[in-house]
Amino acid sequence: MAFIRLADDLIFQDDNPKTKPLMVSLFTAEMRKTQFPTLKIAPLKSPFAKSQYTLMKTNIAAIDEVYRIHAPNPSAGMLFTPYIIGLLKTNPNVYLELNDNALIYHEHTLISPDKLEDFRFRAMQILSEFETIMSQLEQKQPAAPTTTPPSQTPSNAEQRAQAMLQSFATTRRSVSATPTNSWRWIWFFVVGALFLAITFLSWFALHNWVGR
């Protein structure tokens, strides 16, 4: 984990100076290595409910009737652990956003000092749930080959180039083998024809010229 922040913030919903900003207690976290699937959860009536990403459903009425959930990839569904589902079913004001290595969480309100620790605990629990899932997925991935040092591991472009070169070399071998085999068979045919011709001439001379 790189850092976490817990702070009160004013969120301006548009450029109109007369629009009253929304004051919220905001929890944010940024990870050093962990990458999250993109996900956005907001209440239906939230000013932040709109998104460019695909709308998805959980098929849980208590959640789908209260929240709009957006994700560009269905893989985000793996983040809905029992804790996350329970939180969304019992708290109708959750705003949660995951983007790349960052997490943003608030509850559309300013948390009073006496409840701030509970708010922080909920946010840290969410972060812990997501970290655990991503860690488990990472452990299931196949290990990298040990024959090539990390500093010498070829890039995708290099791998594609190597594959193209190997394909080209294979094609050249196949093409060059064809004429070689063809000439070999032609040579065998010519030698065989000459052998038959000599045999025939010998037979003809023996029966027609000798003794006359």
Side-chain angles (χ1 to χ4, degrees), residues 36-42 51 53-58 68-81 84 88 94-100 102-105 126 130 133:
F36 298 118
T38 299
L39 175 68
K40 180 179 178 181
I41 302 174
S51 175
Y53 300 125
T54 303
L55 182 67
M56 65 177 291
K57 298 288 186 180
T58 64
R68 290 179 65 89
I69 302 172
H70 295 87
N73 194 307
S75 63
M78 66 184 176
L79 299 175
F80 286 83
T81 64
I84 300 300
L88 296 176
V94 167
Y95 177 89
L96 179 61
E97 182 176 351
L98 295 175
N99 198 336
D100 196 13
L103 178 146
I104 302 173
Y105 174 78
I126 292 172
F130 294 160
I133 292 173

Side-chain angles (χ1 to χ4, degrees), residues 13-192:
Q13 303 173 37
D14 54 44
D15 296 331
N16 187 345
K18 295 183 179 181
T19 302
K20 185 178 180 180
L22 178 65
M23 181 172 289
V24 299
S25 294
L26 193 66
F27 176 95
T28 62
E30 183 175 328
M31 317 304 293
R32 290 185 183 277
K33 299 179 180 179
T34 306
Q35 301 289 318
F36 298 118
T38 299
L39 175 68
K40 180 179 178 181
I41 302 174
L44 294 176
K45 298 180 180 180
S46 169
F48 317 113
K50 294 182 179 180
S51 175
Q52 61 178 334
Y53 300 125
T54 303
L55 182 67
M56 65 177 291
K57 298 288 186 180
T58 64
N59 294 324
I60 301 174
I63 295 177
D64 293 337
E65 293 175 358
V66 177
Y67 286 98
R68 290 179 65 89
I69 302 172
H70 295 87
N73 194 307
S75 63
M78 66 184 176
L79 299 175
F80 286 83
T81 64
Y83 177 81
I84 300 300
I85 292 173
L87 177 65
L88 296 176
K89 290 173 68 174
T90 56
N91 189 336
N93 296 312
V94 167
Y95 177 89
L96 179 61
E97 182 176 351
L98 295 175
N99 198 336
D100 196 13
N101 67 330
L103 178 146
I104 302 173
Y105 174 78
H106 67 77
E107 297 177 356
H108 290 83
T109 188
L110 189 65
I111 306 296
S112 60
D114 60 313
K115 296 181 179 180
L116 198 58
E117 187 58 33
D118 291 338
F119 171 76
R120 180 182 179 278
F121 174 81
R122 289 192 294 274
M124 290 297 296
Q125 182 65 30
I126 292 172
L127 183 60
S128 176
E129 293 276 319
F130 294 160
E131 278 189 293
T132 299
I133 292 173
M134 302 314 297
S135 176
Q136 291 173 348
L137 290 176
E138 185 177 352
Q139 291 175 3
K140 291 180 181 180
Q141 292 180 355
T146 57
T147 54
T148 304
S151 60
Q152 298 179 9
T153 301
S155 64
N156 290 337
E158 291 172 337
Q159 291 175 350
R160 289 195 298 269
Q162 290 176 0
M164 291 174 65
L165 288 174
Q166 291 175 356
S167 176
F168 179 71
T170 303
T171 303
R172 289 197 61 183
R173 286 196 297 269
S174 300
V175 172
S176 61
T178 302
T180 300
N181 292 334
S182 300
W183 281 110
R184 183 178 301 169
W185 283 108
I186 292 173
W187 172 252
F188 287 156
F189 179 80
V190 171
V191 171

